[in-house]
């Protein structure tokens, strides 16, 4: 019911072959160039044996052993047990879809609902419900559209994702981290830091695909699925979800190359500038084939790494430029002993925006008791520490804690003109309810080495 394969280890890829006969991006992917129609030339499909003691384990094993295999029978893995496990893993507080059905309401007749869902899926009468559209603000001031699926659709989608993960986890390269089981944003940050420390990185390409999720061509998405999936019932399910408006979602080189990717954001590091420029040109050409393009305002090539300060100094230039990735600004810095240090600090605009939200929310909660406010603010600070309390970011973490305490202090003082609150008492209140700012995450090399120990360096 909970079959999950071992995730590929994080990776700092070794350099690709020098005599690459294909475009840079395709060599790094370690697979042949995509054909126009995946179904035109493929091998006969393989069945995953419903009687196997570990059915998804067999699917996973075939996917690893035969990269050309197409799977013709997958839908039987979407059974009531798997649907039930997915339902229980969902958050009871998740927003309801267009039909208004909540987690609790669906659970009142859970077994009957799941049995009926399975029957409709397997006999082909299942219909995807329209999604509820919502918008959230983006950092550039625009709005990001979200499709909130109905609860039943969400259950089925996640069950199918579990089945597809048993195939595609064998195909993903180690530098891909976004939306993969057992991988987090901090794992990709560790891999990036380890690569910059351990490889001869002199140039960093910071790239972002423009409006990826709203520009993704459904036709190409289906073709890519058909590379591995030959079960027409699964493909029809995906088409139904896409039709309902739901999108769930090389190098001709003689030097070191590192790649880390989190969904549509990725960082590529190169030893030589000519390799970086060649990769960027090949990447633009490859994305254009699928009606995608890089966002010019978010894509740039900069000199960065252990030797960047020395190289820029020789040219009479200033300090190395910085780049932002997954909430952190990455800078070239030095330790007290003068050794290179990759410094990661909270992006200033993000911290300011979060503190503004804290201030506004505290003003709205001003009527609540101190324990109620303290529990809420403590959860906010605890969540901030859980992500941003990395080595080298202590100043920003302490600053966030202090400013959040200040906002709370001012909010409490405004509750009455006859307050008796001073900083001495406020310090005791903050110590009681807010977690102390301290480092939560280990040094990136330590965690990266622990995750990749004993595994292939290119997977």
């Amino acid at each position: 019911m909970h079959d999950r394969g071992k995730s590929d280890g994080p990776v700092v890829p070794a350099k690709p072959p020098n005599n690459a006969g294909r475009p840079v991006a395709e060599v790094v992917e370690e697979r042949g160039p995509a054909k126009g129609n995946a179904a035109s030339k493929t091998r006969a499909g393989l069945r995953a044996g419903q009687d196997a003691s570990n059915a998804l384990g067999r699917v996973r094993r075939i996917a690893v052993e035969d990269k050309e295999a197409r799977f013709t029978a997958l839908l039987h893995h979407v059974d009531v047990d798997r649907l039930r496990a997915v339902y229980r893993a969902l958050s009871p507080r998740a927003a309801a879809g267009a039909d208004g059905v909540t987690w609790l309401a669906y659970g009142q007749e859970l077994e009957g609902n799941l049995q009926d869902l399975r029957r409709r899926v397997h006999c082909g009468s299942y219909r995807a419900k329209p999604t509820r559209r919502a918008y959230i603000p983006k950092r550039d001031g625009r709005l990001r559209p979200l499709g909130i699926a109905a609860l039943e659709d969400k259950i089925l989608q996640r069950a199918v994702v579990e089945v597809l993960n048993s195939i595609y986890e064998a195909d993903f390269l180690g530098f891909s981290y976004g939306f993969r089981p057992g991988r987090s944003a901090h794992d990709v940050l560790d891999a990036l830091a380890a690569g910059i420390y351990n490889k001869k990185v002199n140039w960093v390409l910071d790239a972002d695909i423009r409006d990826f999720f709203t520009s993704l061509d459904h036709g190409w998405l289906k073709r890519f699925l058909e590379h591995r999936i030959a079960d027409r019932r699964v493909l029809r399910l995906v088409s139904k979800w896409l039709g309902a408006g739901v999108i769930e979602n090389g190098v001709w080189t003689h030097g070191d190359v590192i790649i880390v990717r989190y969904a549509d954001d990725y960082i590529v590091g190169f030893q030589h500038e000519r390799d970086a420029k060649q990769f960027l040109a090949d990447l633009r050409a490859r994305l254009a084939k699928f009606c995608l393009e890089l966002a010019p305002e978010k894509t740039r090539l900069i000199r960065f790494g252990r030797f960047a300060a020395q190289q820029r100094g020789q040219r009479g230039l200033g300090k190395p430029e910085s780049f932002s990735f997954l909430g952190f600004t990455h800078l070239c810095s030095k330790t007290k002993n003068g050794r290179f240090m990759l410094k990661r600090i909270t992006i200033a605009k993000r911290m300011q925006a979060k503190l503004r939200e804290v201030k506004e929310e505290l003003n709205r909660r001003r009527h609540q008791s101190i324990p109620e406010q303290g529990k809420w603010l403590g959860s906010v600070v605890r969540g901030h520490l859980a992500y941003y309390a990395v080595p080298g970011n202590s100043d920003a973490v302490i600053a966030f804690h202090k400013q959040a305490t200040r906002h709370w202090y001012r909010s409490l003082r405004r509750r009455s003109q006859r307050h008796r609150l001073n900083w001495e008492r406020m310090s005791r209140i903050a110590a009681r309810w807010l977690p102390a700012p301290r480092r939560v995450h280990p040094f990136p090399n330590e965690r990266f080495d622990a995750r990749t120990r004993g595994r292939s360096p290119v997977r």
Side-chain angles (χ1 to χ4, degrees):
M1 178 168 66
H2 297 287
D3 297 333
R4 294 186 185 274
K6 293 182 180 178
S7 178
D8 292 337
V11 68
V12 179
K15 71 174 185 178
N18 295 333
N19 57 345
R22 292 174 279 156
V24 170
E26 290 179 355
V27 173
V28 172
E29 289 176 3
E30 295 184 359
R31 55 171 63 89
K35 303 298 181 184
N37 187 341
S40 59
K41 292 183 180 181
T42 53
R43 297 181 48 187
L46 297 179
R47 290 183 172 268
Q50 197 168 3
D51 56 346
S53 59
N54 188 349
L56 277 189
R58 184 179 176 191
V59 171
R60 190 176 302 111
R61 186 172 65 255
I62 294 173
V64 171
E65 294 172 353
D66 190 347
K67 297 298 183 182
E68 301 297 324
R70 299 179 70 223
F71 293 83
T72 58
L74 292 172
L75 194 61
H76 64 272
H77 294 291
V78 181
D79 54 19
V80 173
D81 287 341
R82 191 171 302 280
L83 294 171
R84 187 188 304 109
V86 169
Y87 168 80
R88 290 173 177 168
L90 292 175
S91 171
R93 296 187 298 274
D99 60 357
V101 177
T102 64
W103 187 89
L104 286 174
Y106 194 84
Q108 294 299 316
E109 299 291 338
L110 180 61
E111 293 304 317
N113 289 334
L114 295 181
Q115 290 284 358
D116 180 61
L117 174 59
R118 180 196 173 280
R119 179 190 60 78
R120 286 182 284 120
V121 168
H122 285 266
C123 74
S125 63
Y126 163 80
R127 295 291 180 269
K129 299 179 180 65
T131 61
R132 180 165 67 85
R133 184 65 69 194
Y135 293 89
I136 60 174
K138 300 176 71 172
R139 291 192 300 275
D140 58 7
R142 296 182 297 161
L143 293 176
R144 185 192 304 277
L146 296 179
I148 302 177
L151 182 75
E152 190 172 71
D153 292 340
K154 195 181 299 183
I155 292 171
L156 181 57
Q157 288 166 8
R158 296 198 180 186
V160 172
V161 165
E162 284 190 6
V163 175
L164 296 183
N165 272 345
S166 65
I167 299 171
Y168 288 107
E169 278 297 302
D171 292 347
F172 273 120
L173 294 181
F175 57 72
S176 295
Y177 290 82
F179 309 113
R180 294 181 61 189
R183 295 191 172 211
S184 68
H186 277 285
D187 292 324
V188 69
L189 290 167
D190 290 344
L192 174 60
I196 291 174
Y197 275 115
N198 300 328
K199 299 291 184 178
K200 298 176 181 178
V201 173
N202 296 322
W203 294 88
V204 161
L205 174 62
D206 180 7
D208 180 272
I209 300 176
R210 181 199 296 273
D211 298 329
F212 176 77
F213 291 103
T214 54
S215 303
L216 187 62
D217 185 273
H218 291 180
W220 276 112
L221 180 60
K222 294 174 185 177
R223 289 182 186 181
F224 278 121
L225 281 173
E226 290 169 0
H227 276 292
R228 290 292 244 164
I229 310 302
D231 189 332
R232 307 309 301 179
R233 299 170 300 170
V234 172
L235 295 174
R236 279 196 296 270
L237 275 178
V238 174
S239 295
K240 289 178 181 180
W241 293 326
L242 293 176
V246 178
I247 303 178
E248 296 292 350
N249 303 320
V251 177
W252 208 319
T253 180
H254 300 279
D256 287 341
V257 178
I258 65 168
I259 304 177
V260 293
R261 181 176 72 88
Y262 195 88
D264 60 329
D265 295 328
Y266 46 96
I267 299 291
V268 191
F270 301 87
Q271 185 174 353
H272 301 305
E273 182 181 12
R274 66 177 181 272
D275 299 328
K277 291 181 176 178
Q278 181 65 52
F279 179 91
L280 182 57
D282 288 343
L283 181 61
R284 284 191 171 121
R286 183 163 174 80
L287 289 175
K289 182 178 179 180
F290 308 114
C291 305
L292 297 170
E293 63 176 342
L294 294 174
E297 71 278 7
K298 296 181 180 179
T299 302
R300 61 199 181 110
L301 179 62
I302 62 172
R303 188 181 289 275
F304 193 94
R306 286 180 290 163
F307 315 105
Q310 177 185 353
Q311 292 165 348
R312 287 178 64 89
Q314 292 171 352
R315 292 166 173 78
L317 303 175
K319 294 181 179 180
E321 296 180 77
S322 63
F323 66 91
S324 297
F325 185 55
L326 297 182
F328 290 93
T329 299
H330 293 66
L331 309 101
C332 294
S333 185
K334 291 183 179 180
T335 65
K336 294 180 180 180
N337 298 328
R339 299 179 61 184
F340 170 79
M341 180 179 72
L342 176 65
K343 192 172 182 66
R344 302 174 294 175
I345 60 175
T346 310
I347 295 177
K349 290 183 178 179
R350 290 201 182 184
M351 188 166 80
Q352 292 166 4
K354 186 62 179 179
L355 286 170
R356 280 196 298 271
E357 292 178 13
V358 168
K359 181 179 178 181
E360 293 170 2
E361 185 63 23
L362 283 170
N363 289 334
R364 281 194 289 268
R365 293 172 175 265
R366 194 180 296 164
H367 65 283
Q368 294 180 347
S369 65
I370 288 179
E372 288 179 299
Q373 293 184 37
K375 289 179 181 178
W376 173 80
L377 186 57
S379 68
V380 172
V381 174
R382 195 173 296 108
H384 187 85
L385 294 177
Y387 189 81
Y388 288 104
V390 301
N393 195 33
S394 57
D395 290 346
V397 168
I398 292 172
F400 182 88
H401 185 278
K402 286 184 176 179
Q403 194 58 40
T405 303
R406 258 190 215 102
H407 287 327
W408 194 14
Y409 173 66
R410 291 168 183 165
S411 175
L412 291 175
R413 284 173 65 92
R414 291 193 181 108
R415 297 207 296 186
S416 171
Q417 294 181 349
R418 303 179 63 181
H419 64 80
R420 297 181 178 179
L421 183 64
N422 54 33
W423 265 112
E424 183 180 354
R425 185 184 174 206
M426 187 67 220
S427 297
R428 292 196 299 269
I429 293 173
R432 168 67 178 84
W433 295 106
L434 305 185
R438 59 181 180 82
R439 179 166 66 86
V440 173
H441 296 275
F443 286 91
N445 268 339
E446 295 175 1
R447 184 161 53 191
F448 182 76
D449 290 344
R451 283 180 61 91
T452 57
R453 186 177 297 117
R455 299 181 184 175
S456 168
V458 295
R459 290 300 297 174

